[in-house]
Amino acid sequence: MIAGMSSEPARASAMADLMRAGRETARLSMVFRNAIADRLGLTVSDLECLDFLADVGSATAGQVAGRTNLTTGAVTSMLRRLQQAGFVTAERDPADRRRVIVTLRPERIPELERPYERFAEQAVRLIEGYSVEEVLLLVRHFGRMREMYLAELDRLGGAQ
Amino acid sequence: MIAGMSSEPARASAMADLMRAGRETARLSMVFRNAIADRLGLTVSDLECLDFLADVGSATAGQVAGRTNLTTGAVTSMLRRLQQAGFVTAERDPADRRRVIVTLRPERIPELERPYERFAEQAVRLIEGYSVEEVLLLVRHFGRMREMYLAELDRLGGAQ
DNA sequence: GCGAACATCTTAGTCATTAAGATAACGGCA
DNA sequence: TGCCGTTATCTTAATGACTAAGATGTTCGC
């Protein structure tokens, strides 16, 4: 609707398709994430936290708060929850005893990845059908999207 | 890690980059959506509902429930909320008085789109730099992702 | 070793959401 | 027509994640 002028109608329509497809994919990924959290008996925030920990190994409670956009109070109770469910261990940092170091229990990782497994396999299969140039185009596109998201989030006053 | 065999290391690394970028983008889009809902003083579910209504014009309460993955009870109170905030009108269907027809107030649409505006403009600008072939590749890719999401959601037992 | 800054925890309260069942309206069938 | 099963929404009570504000314990600079 806001469409910029374009000489060829095929181009304009392809662009509109892309805008629409992008929104739809974003929406579906949210629903997907929700479904996975449900299946694991977790909150979306819990999943976010565990994903983060899977990335970095271990982190302080404050870092978890930053990543999940939760208050420290909410993180405290989330960590109690995750600890009780055995997904995570938490202990005070001996070097700075104000801090709490949270660590994902490695033995639970497979369980967390299982719901994604089929999806990831299919994604790999899809990507294998692309040429290297095509893959690189997609990577560049996502990179630009990432920058746009971060810039907008910044502008919206979010922490992140 | 599950990577299929690949002759060229450049290809394997590009594929890994793409997998990572895809996950990161999905995550950022969630955070973004959350930030926008916050700014509008709405829930993510509210936003989902309003987006849906912007698409289809008007729908029954049950259709809204299906789209948002909420129970009918939750939809009832969500609609009361949105009605009170003036985003939506709700009236019984004269043809089938069990149904409630929910309609987005057109005059509020600009207000809902405003937070996306800059983002959408930037997206258009980005896409304008692509060739038609590149745009079509992206559209195809998103289409395949969409299918994968829907298949997995189905498998996870979700309604949708 | 004193005070400010920091990291986490506690407490009380809010609010979206769910589950279960109530209410009301439709549609078919005798 | 009148009854019954089904459908669509609403109500009620309870749950639980989350926030805000302030308490607690810890570090660091002076």
Side-chain angles (χ1 to χ4, degrees):
Chain A
M1 294 305 162
I2 313 177
M5 296 301 105
S6 168
S7 40
E8 319 149 31
R11 176 173 230 293
S13 121
M15 280 179 56
D17 284 352
L18 181 49
M19 294 292 284
R20 177 169 206 82
R23 277 199 307 271
E24 173 79 352
T25 304
R27 210 198 108 244
L28 280 172
S29 74
M30 286 193 56
V31 180
F32 183 54
R33 203 134 230 273
N34 233 304
I36 286 183
D38 273 7
R39 156 155 293 214
L40 290 169
L42 297 172
T43 305
V44 175
S45 294
D46 294 349
L47 204 52
E48 194 71 33
C49 168
L50 295 175
D51 274 4
F52 174 47
L53 290 175
D55 252 23
V56 300
S58 65
T60 68
Q63 291 173 316
V64 170
R67 175 69 169 229
T68 54
N69 289 321
L70 295 177
T71 59
T72 61
V75 167
T76 299
S77 47
M78 174 172 77
L79 291 181
R80 180 164 35 238
R81 225 184 305 148
L82 292 177
Q83 222 172 338
Q84 215 142 28
F87 283 113
V88 135
T89 61
E91 44 193 11
R92 300 216 92 100
D93 183 349
D96 179 346
R97 305 225 317 274
R98 289 171 304 178
R99 286 199 248 265
V100 168
I101 296 189
V102 188
T103 310
L104 180 58
R105 289 202 136 127
E107 69 268 27
R108 303 297 295 274
I109 295 182
E111 178 179 348
L112 293 172
E113 284 178 347
R114 185 144 35 241
Y116 292 108
E117 230 162 53
R118 278 179 63 109
F119 187 79
E121 279 170 32
Q122 284 189 292
V124 167
R125 217 166 299 142
L126 172 61
I127 297 177
E128 279 176 346
Y130 293 158
S131 72
V132 178
E133 290 73 27
E134 288 173 331
V135 173
L136 289 177
L137 168 65
L138 289 167
V139 171
R140 275 198 307 275
H141 179 70
F142 282 131
R144 282 290 295 138
M145 293 296 286
R146 179 175 173 281
E147 284 170 39
M148 283 169 48
Y149 275 127
L150 290 176
E152 281 306 298
L153 280 169
D154 206 46
R155 209 178 63 82
L156 288 174
Q160 181 60 199
Chain B
M1 295 304 163
I2 313 177
M5 296 303 104
S6 168
S7 40
E8 320 149 29
R11 176 173 228 293
S13 121
M15 280 178 57
D17 284 352
L18 181 49
M19 294 292 284
R20 177 169 206 82
R23 278 199 307 270
E24 172 79 352
T25 304
R27 211 198 107 245
L28 279 172
S29 75
M30 285 193 56
V31 180
F32 183 54
R33 202 134 230 274
N34 232 303
I36 285 184
D38 272 7
R39 157 155 292 214
L40 289 169
L42 297 171
T43 305
V44 175
S45 294
D46 294 348
L47 202 53
E48 194 70 33
C49 169
L50 295 175
D51 275 3
F52 175 48
L53 291 175
D55 251 23
V56 300
S58 65
T60 68
Q63 290 174 317
V64 170
R67 176 70 168 228
T68 53
N69 290 320
L70 295 177
T71 60
T72 61
V75 168
T76 299
S77 46
M78 174 172 76
L79 291 181
R80 180 165 37 238
R81 226 184 303 147
L82 292 177
Q83 222 171 338
Q84 216 142 26
F87 283 112
V88 135
T89 61
E91 43 194 12
R92 300 216 92 99
D93 183 350
D96 180 346
R97 304 225 317 275
R98 290 169 305 176
R99 287 200 248 264
V100 167
I101 296 189
V102 188
T103 309
L104 180 58
R105 288 203 136 126
E107 69 268 28
R108 303 298 295 273
I109 295 182
E111 178 179 347
L112 293 172
E113 283 178 348
R114 184 145 34 242
Y116 292 108
E117 231 161 53
R118 277 180 63 109
F119 187 80
E121 279 170 32
Q122 283 189 293
V124 167
R125 216 167 299 142
L126 172 61
I127 298 177
E128 279 175 346
Y130 293 158
S131 72
V132 179
E133 291 73 28
E134 287 172 332
V135 173
L136 289 176
L137 168 65
L138 289 167
V139 172
R140 275 198 307 276
H141 179 70
F142 282 132
R144 282 288 295 138
M145 292 297 286
R146 180 177 173 280
E147 284 171 37
M148 284 168 49
Y149 275 127
L150 289 176
E152 281 306 297
L153 280 169
D154 206 45
R155 209 176 63 82
L156 288 174
Q160 182 61 202

